[in-house]
Each structure stands twice: as structure tokens, then as C-alpha cells.
Amino acid sequence: MEAPLYPGFPLDPSAPLGTPCAYWVGPRHLAGDDGRLYDTVADAFGSLGWTSLTIVRGRQEPDEEPEDRQILRSTVLHISPDSRCWAQWVLADEPFHLGDLPIAWQVSARTDTSSPAEWSAYFTTGVPGEAVADFLTALNARPHPAVPHVRPELVLDAVTAHGWLRDADQGAGATDPTFISHVSLGGIPPLIQDADPRTLTASPDEPGPDGWQAWAQPAATAPCLWAVSFSASVPHDLVAAFAPSLSSTASVLRRIVPEATRERLRWTPAG
């Protein structure tokens, strides 16, 4: 659940009636996506020169006016200039769930244009769009987007540099000082696509390959604010580009924030 950010501060008298006021809030990992996850990430694609395609599926009854046609699904696909990376906005296209939240963006990459996806990354609603955009910027700059990177410690180094704490109970995990947000290298949820054959051949009682997971949960019995899953073959340096952006202490501009974290945010009026 999200809520406007302005209680506690007077409304901006120069803003049109009913316009939400904007505030600088932090930390980023508790600030939500401002209801603009598509726009923030799509703007990043535009600045990177990716091509966008929209597929719309609809239904129109005989003698029905065009404006009354029912849109059943629509998928927005963004493709990198070399066609080796792509991202789908799948929220409107019957997505599956991660942490009981619907997947909003799925990002994939392959070795060359004749091969299938080597790995995929999944971002639910609520993930700060700035962190997704920084992940995509790093992906776009990588000459070989599907070549593995063998230093997983880069991810933990990135978040601990911003004050996160290593998880004493987990060999490769960390949590923020409020113990709400987490990153962990471990088991991958169902339906996460990856080219590593162990994801398909591992038996139910046999551990499969590990991948990075991240999530925010205000309390043990509370719903997640957001969740992210990186499949096993996502290069660690790309996850390490997402992690410092997610854990950044710099404030971000917001008009709405998650109800569950608003009391934990520091915020000041913008402008």
C-alpha cells in the first residue's frame, strides 16, 4: 500500500489544486518506485538508444465501436542496439509473482543473436526505478553481456560500503541497518529462467545453482515491499551495479511512498 508523502508539511501553494507535492526521501531501498517504475526504466532505455516495441492483444465484438475494444494483454519490449539484450514490461501480460508481488520488468541477455537467453533478471513493482536503471546502464556498457563474472564478493562490498551489515548466519548475504532489506546469494525461486543446465536437471532434493536475490520486508509476517531475482548466470558485476544503487544513501524524488516505511524515511520538501 502506498501513501502520499506530504502529511507533516504544508502543501505547495504554487502547485495546482490536487497535485501531490514532491519530496526528497531516503534511504532509497525503502522509498518505493513512486508509481513510476515503467516510466523511470523506459526513460533509461531511451537514453541508451534501445528500440521499443509494443504488442497489443485485444478483442472486438461485431458492431462494436473501436474505442470499446477490450485490451486483453499488452507487452512492451525494449531491445538493445546489438540485439543481445532485451527487457519486457510484463505487468500487463499476466506475470507470475515473486514474493507475492507481480513481476514488472524481466531483463534477459544472450551470447549472440542466434542463441537463446543465457540469463534473466526479474524486478517486481515497488523496486526503486533508479536501481533498475543503473543495472541496465551497466548491462548496456558490458561488451559481452552473457560472459560470467567470478567475483560474487563485489555485491556484498557494494552494499556494506553504504552501511549494510553482513549476515552472520549466511555466507553471502547482507541486510540494511533496519533489517528490512536484504541481498543474498542462494537458492533461486521457481520459474526463473537460466541457461545453466543444473536449473533443469537438479532433482527436488538436490541443490541447484545459486543466484542473487534481493527483497524488502518490514516484518516477518508482513508482505514484501519489493523483490528481485537474478538467475544463476547473471554476471556478478552486473548485480554489483544494482546493489550500490539500491543501497545508496542519496535521497530520491518521490510523491508517494510505501505506507509501511514512511515513518522510517528521512524526507524534506523538494524545491
Side-chain angles (χ1 to χ4, degrees), residues 44 50 72 78-79 97 138 141 163 170 173 193 195-196 206 225 259 265:
W50 288 38
L72 301 182
H78 298 262
I79 306 171
H97 286 62
Q170 175 117 11
Q193 299 177 10
D196 189 321
E206 180 184 1
L225 299 175
E259 182 72 38
L265 293 169

Side-chain angles (χ1 to χ4, degrees), residues 10 37 40 75 116 264:
L37 184 57
T40 301
T75 300
R264 296 178 180 269

Side-chain angles (χ1 to χ4, degrees), residues 29-223:
H29 63 94
L30 300 181
D33 63 12
D34 204 28
R36 299 187 68 255
L37 184 57
Y38 175 79
D39 295 321
T40 301
V41 177
D43 288 347
F45 285 128
S47 66
L48 296 172
W50 288 38
T51 301
S52 63
L53 303 171
T54 302
I55 303 169
V56 178
R57 303 174 180 90
R59 181 177 63 202
Q60 187 172 4
E61 300 295 335
D63 302 323
E64 185 178 42
E65 296 298 327
E67 61 269 19
D68 295 329
R69 189 181 71 168
Q70 300 178 50
I71 302 299
L72 301 182
R73 301 182 183 181
S74 74
T75 300
V76 181
L77 181 66
H78 298 262
I79 306 171
S80 66
D82 62 9
S83 298
R84 290 184 297 167
C85 306
W86 64 96
Q88 292 176 276
W89 173 257
V90 295
L91 190 61
D93 199 23
E94 300 180 6
F96 66 91
H97 286 62
L98 184 66
D100 292 327
L101 294 170
I103 301 293
W105 282 106
Q106 177 180 344
V107 182
S108 303
R110 57 187 174 182
T111 304
D112 56 63
T113 56
S114 63
S115 63
E118 292 289 329
W119 58 258
S120 292
Y122 302 81
F123 305 87
T124 71
T125 54
V127 177
E130 297 87 351
V132 182
D134 287 340
F135 171 80
L136 294 168
T137 299
L139 172 61
N140 190 74
R142 208 174 193 268
H144 304 288
V147 174
H149 191 285
V150 295
R151 293 186 58 205
E153 65 272 12
L154 289 177
V155 178
L156 298 182
D157 290 346
V159 295
T160 55
H162 289 157
W164 286 35
L165 310 171
R166 285 184 180 262
D167 191 338
D169 298 325
Q170 175 117 11
T175 182
D176 80 286
T178 67
F179 299 98
I180 291 178
S181 298
H182 310 264
V183 294
S184 177
L185 181 61
I188 300 171
L191 303 180
I192 301 302
Q193 299 177 10
D194 193 271
D196 189 321
R198 292 176 296 166
T199 61
L200 300 175
T201 60
S203 62
D205 57 350
E206 180 184 1
D210 290 337
W212 285 101
Q213 315 301 311
W215 69 96
Q217 188 175 22
T221 58

